[in-house]
């Protein structure tokens, strides 16, 4: 594993597209068209972040803001931040990069007035499930055969805002 001395987060720029697509293809079977990335960036620029280390992009998170029924009070409408995709390159994992990306993305969601945050994750993706639990997410339901290969997803969610005092590391 590459021991990173430091990493920096910044907002995604259109010039980063090829690098982000490469990370997505390396890390996840859920892949997207260039238009999909640029569309999320155009509409929700404050929740599309990249992490740089050793002078290159090594991780990203991208999100969408959606209006729908609250996961916590199903009879209420809520603005919800949806974490669409997050990934960190294998050599740069377990150094807090994804955690920091998630925290900054949740702060970005707040600036769009989202009051909760949700995502789907493969039921076998223990690293990611652990990451989200550490950040205060709870499993709210199983979505059967959510993925193209038939695997189920957990939907996980938490309320916003994320408070810095929740960070116990
Ligand atoms: N095993 C167990 N727990 C883990 C692991 C692991 N391999 N990786 C992370 N965690 C948990 C730990 O609690 C960790 O804290 P600790 O290191 O102090 O124990 C905590 O998550 C934070 O870990 P980070 O270092 O911030 O996570 P990292 O930068 O390594 O990235 C990620 C985690 C994004 C899941 C990475 O493994 C990855 O890119 N995986 C492939 C892509 C992927 O699965 N993305 C998520 C799909 S779901 C979605 O996108 C909505
Ligand atoms: Zn999703």
């Amino acid at each position: 594993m590459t021991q990173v001395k430091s990493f920096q987060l910044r907002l995604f720029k259109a010039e980063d597209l090829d690098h982000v697509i490469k990370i997505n293809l390396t890390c996840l079977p859920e892949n997207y068209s260039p238009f999909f990335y640029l569309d999320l960036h155009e509409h929700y620029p404050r929740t599309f972040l990249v992490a740089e280390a050793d002078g290159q992009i090594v991780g990203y998170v991208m999100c969408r803001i959606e209006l729908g029924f609250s996961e916590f009070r199903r009879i209420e409408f809520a603005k919800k931040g949806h974490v669409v995709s997050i990934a960190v390159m294998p050599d740069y994992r377990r150094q807090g990069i994804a955690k920091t990306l998630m925290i900054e993305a949740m702060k970005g969601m707040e600036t769009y007035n989202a009051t909760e945050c949700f995502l789907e994750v493969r039921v076998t993706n223990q690293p990611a499930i652990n990451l989200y639990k550490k950040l205060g997410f709870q499993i709210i339901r199983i979505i059967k055969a959510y993925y193209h290969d038939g695997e189920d997803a957990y939907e996980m969610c938490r309320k916003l805002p994320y408070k810095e005092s929740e960070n116990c590391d």
Side-chain angles (χ1 to χ4, degrees):
M1 181 165 58
T2 310
Q3 204 54 47
V4 189
K5 276 177 233 70
S6 67
F7 61 88
Q8 294 87 39
L9 298 200
R10 63 168 174 78
L11 296 178
F12 170 89
K13 298 183 281 208
E15 306 91 275
D16 301 327
L17 182 62
D18 290 348
H19 297 283
V20 168
I21 288 180
K22 208 169 135 205
I23 296 170
N24 169 263
L25 290 171
T26 307
C27 299
L28 280 165
E30 288 72 47
N31 310 128
Y32 313 96
S33 68
F35 171 80
F36 183 86
Y37 293 89
L38 294 175
D39 191 56
L40 284 182
H41 174 237
E42 189 190 336
H43 290 98
Y44 314 107
R46 283 171 269 163
T47 51
F48 196 157
L49 307 165
V50 296
E52 286 180 309
D54 301 328
Q56 51 177 336
I57 298 175
V58 299
Y60 71 87
V61 61
M62 60 180 182
C63 312
R64 184 157 61 209
I65 306 296
E66 298 174 8
L67 261 182
F69 285 110
S70 165
E71 303 300 334
F72 298 94
R73 269 177 67 82
R74 297 295 296 178
I75 51 166
E76 270 175 17
F77 244 43
K79 229 179 184 187
K80 307 190 284 189
H82 178 174
V83 181
V84 173
S85 184
I86 180 169
V88 172
M89 286 297 269
D91 281 353
Y92 292 87
R93 289 181 189 167
R94 288 317 276 274
Q95 304 181 54
I97 295 180
K99 191 176 155 205
T100 312
L101 282 167
M102 284 290 298
I103 291 171
E104 290 307 310
M106 288 193 280
K107 289 183 187 164
M109 290 170 187
E110 283 168 48
T111 71
Y112 296 119
N113 299 315
T115 54
E116 47 194 80
C117 174
F118 76 100
L119 54 84
E120 301 89 15
V121 59
R122 285 177 182 266
V123 295
T124 56
N125 191 348
Q126 206 57 54
I129 294 166
N130 288 356
L131 164 73
Y132 305 138
K133 283 191 170 159
K134 197 164 201 177
L135 288 165
F137 285 75
Q138 63 189 79
I139 294 171
I140 193 146
R141 72 174 66 87
I142 294 186
I143 311 172
K144 287 282 170 201
Y146 179 78
Y147 295 98
H148 55 75
D149 57 6
E151 187 168 345
D152 299 343
Y154 287 133
E155 182 177 336
M156 298 185 72
C157 60
R158 63 154 288 152
K159 288 186 178 162
L160 294 177
Y162 177 87
K163 294 197 185 72
E164 220 57 72
S165 56
E166 293 178 51
N167 195 346
C168 42
D169 286 351

